[in-house]
Amino acid sequence: KIDWFREKLDSFKGIENHPVRLNIRREHFLEDSIQEVMAMTPDELRRAWWIDFSGEDSMDACSATRREWYQQLFEEIFEDNFGLWQRACESGRDEKDKQRWKINALSGRRYAYHLDLFRFLGRLLGRALIDGSLVPFLEAHVYKLLLGWPITFEDLNSADEEIYKNLRTGLDMGDEIEEFSLNFSTPADNLGRGTDVEFMAGGSSVHVNADNFPEWLEGHLKYSLYGRVKAQLDELLLGFSEVVPIPILLVFVPKEFEKLLS
């Protein structure tokens, strides 16, 4: 299965004698990388890439040059102060979960063009898959979304074990759940503004009880893992699919796909 997949990826690169040259200035490394990748046509996104560091004798297709380029890009982008990603909750089930990155719901606070950056990153993830370069660990459910799989309540266990356990307890509380005075809404991440997101029309007026708690749980799950960062995720998925056709990925389950990337 993996051999077939690699053959498909290699076929995208086309003729090695006609690679796409990326001209990168060290002093403008990130800016030039974004500009070069985002200016590419669909055909160029899948052809072989050569990295040319201006003023250096580095223009080649060897793995060392590409590896250096990927490594520096991921180090700069996956950094808390950069503002696009942040470390996932430290209460994950194992050490791998603690190394995962989640999308910063407030990424728009740092960059007005943050969605363009997520699309760029989606293209970069797709290219890393083609070139066999490893990428940082993302939240487990992101790999499911890249494959078009639906998210489930169990995915919350990896993202935040403490919240998962608390919500799981609610399933067994019966009528006692009403003591928490919940409704079908939750506070939104909205640049500090006090707004709520409703899980249904008029949700702020619908109180949670034992009968509708599973429905509330589903709404909470979808917002927590997808809705609160929908715009960023959509651009990430779009950029990725521009490089790697999603249908050829469907031979993998999410855990297999994660191993290919990470």
Side-chain angles (χ1 to χ4, degrees):
K1 184 161 57 174
I2 293 179
D3 290 341
W4 171 85
F5 180 68
R6 287 298 177 193
E7 288 179 5
K8 285 289 185 181
L9 293 182
D10 288 341
S11 70
F12 295 153
K13 296 181 181 181
I15 302 175
E16 293 289 341
N17 292 332
H18 296 83
V20 180
R21 179 186 299 181
L22 282 72
N23 297 299
I24 310 297
R25 297 169 294 174
R26 292 282 188 182
E27 64 272 23
H28 300 284
F29 177 82
L30 183 59
E31 176 186 352
D32 286 354
S33 297
I34 293 173
Q35 183 174 332
E36 292 284 82
V37 172
M38 294 307 292
M40 289 184 185
T41 65
D43 173 67
E44 290 172 334
L45 285 171
R46 296 176 181 176
R47 283 163 54 189
W49 288 6
W50 283 13
I51 309 300
D52 184 2
F53 287 114
S54 299
E56 303 177 21
D57 185 19
S58 61
M59 201 280 287
D60 60 68
C62 73
S63 59
T65 304
R66 286 198 303 267
R67 185 164 56 249
E68 178 189 0
W69 181 71
Y70 279 116
Q71 181 177 349
Q72 184 171 342
L73 276 174
F74 288 135
E75 286 178 353
E76 292 192 22
I77 294 173
F78 287 89
E79 203 278 325
D80 285 321
N81 292 330
F82 193 72
L84 294 187
W85 297 80
Q86 55 191 182
R87 285 292 184 182
C89 183
E90 296 185 356
S91 61
R93 289 182 298 176
D94 53 40
E95 289 301 316
K96 183 176 179 180
D97 284 338
K98 296 177 183 179
Q99 298 175 28
R100 295 184 186 275
W101 290 89
K102 66 179 179 181
I103 293 174
N104 181 5
L106 300 180
S107 58
R109 173 180 290 177
R110 182 72 179 271
Y111 307 99
Y113 55 94
H114 68 127
L115 296 182
D116 293 331
L117 294 176
F118 278 101
R119 186 172 179 184
F120 162 73
L121 182 56
R123 290 183 172 190
L124 189 63
L125 293 178
R127 275 306 310 193
L129 182 59
I130 290 177
D131 291 331
S133 295
L134 301 181
V135 307
F137 289 119
L138 308 180
E139 286 191 296
H141 68 276
V142 174
Y143 301 101
K144 296 182 70 173
L145 292 172
L146 284 169
L147 293 177
W149 284 45
I151 54 177
T152 67
F153 181 58
E154 293 303 317
D155 293 319
L156 188 59
N157 193 13
S158 174
D160 195 315
E161 187 179 23
E162 183 176 353
I163 292 179
Y164 169 83
K165 288 181 177 178
N166 290 338
L167 294 178
R168 189 82 180 178
T169 300
L171 291 171
D172 302 321
M173 293 185 66
D175 292 337
E176 294 180 11
I177 196 68
E178 297 183 38
E179 297 177 8
F180 290 93
S181 300
L182 300 173
N183 58 52
F184 276 71
S185 68
T186 190
D189 296 308
N190 194 21
L191 303 182
R193 305 184 187 96
T195 58
D196 290 341
V197 171
E198 295 184 326
F199 302 151
M200 62 170 62
S204 58
S205 300
V206 179
H207 297 288
V208 178
N209 54 44
D211 292 331
N212 62 22
F213 181 75
E215 185 179 356
W216 175 88
L217 192 63
E218 181 180 0
H220 191 283
L221 171 71
K222 289 181 178 179
Y223 177 72
S224 297
L225 297 185
Y226 178 67
R228 65 194 297 267
V229 290
K230 181 181 184 302
Q232 295 96 318
L233 267 173
D234 285 350
E235 289 300 314
L236 184 76
L237 300 180
L238 173 61
F240 184 86
S241 65
E242 289 173 327
V243 179
V244 180
I246 301 303
I248 72 167
L249 294 171
L250 300 183
V251 297
F252 299 108
V253 299
K255 288 187 179 297
E256 293 173 329
F257 179 49
E258 179 178 351
K259 288 182 179 180
L260 284 175
L261 271 175
S262 305

